[in-house]
Amino acid sequence: MKKVLLVTMAMMMAGPAFAKGLAKQDLERKSLEILIANAGSVQMVGDVHSYETLSSILASAMTPQKGFTTKITNNCTVSRDAVNECGLLIESIMDGSGFAGETHIAYETVSSTKSELPDKMLIQRVQVSRGH
């Protein structure tokens, strides 16, 4: 399931990322892969329910409810030496009315060396915030 989710999310985001340039696209793709690979062991803080897991949030983003469309955007920037600050925005848009609910997952990845793509999470924790 994790591999299917990873491939599907990465492919969904690949199209719009071409305009951003290959390096940024690679950074965002690799960071998302790391987030998904660690979803089972990551602690969530912020606007979360006790029964939720990061895996369940990501899985529900891939299977929107009937009458809703999901838009997923991952944005990463290099904030300091080899540390990437990322934000995964999941927007659930109600068909017809345009009403949107949002889940934002802030996370950080790190590269072993400054010139390489990230290879792990900086810390095993993400910040979740929601809006509507």
Side-chain angles (χ1 to χ4, degrees):
M1 173 67 180
K2 190 185 298 185
K3 285 186 180 185
V4 172
L5 180 63
L6 173 66
V7 171
T8 305
M9 287 184 83
M11 290 183 75
M12 285 177 61
M13 297 175 54
F18 283 119
K20 298 178 186 177
L22 188 58
K24 184 160 176 66
Q25 176 188 2
D26 288 344
L27 168 65
E28 291 171 348
R29 178 192 49 77
K30 184 62 176 173
S31 293
L32 181 58
E33 288 175 4
I34 292 168
L35 178 68
I36 293 169
N38 287 276
S41 61
V42 170
Q43 174 191 14
M44 296 191 308
V45 296
D47 193 2
V48 295
H49 301 283
S50 60
Y51 57 85
E52 287 183 303
T53 64
L54 183 54
S55 296
S56 68
I57 291 173
L58 296 175
S60 68
M62 297 307 300
T63 55
Q65 297 175 352
K66 186 176 181 177
F68 285 83
T69 303
T70 300
K71 178 182 174 188
I72 301 170
T73 308
N74 190 47
N75 186 31
C76 296
T77 57
V78 179
S79 64
R80 51 196 181 275
D81 289 342
V83 175
N84 311 295
E85 292 183 355
C86 300
L88 180 66
L89 179 62
I90 302 166
E91 296 176 279
S92 184
I93 304 161
M94 184 180 287
D95 298 340
S97 75
F99 171 79
E102 301 175 338
T103 300
H104 184 266
I105 301 168
Y107 66 102
E108 295 177 318
T109 59
V110 64
S111 306
S112 296
T113 63
K114 189 175 181 179
S115 63
E116 292 184 15
L117 288 174
D119 52 9
K120 62 183 177 181
M121 303 259 321
L122 181 63
I123 54 174
Q124 290 292 105
R125 183 177 62 223
V126 298
Q127 174 74 37
V128 178
S129 54
R130 294 196 165 115
H132 45 78

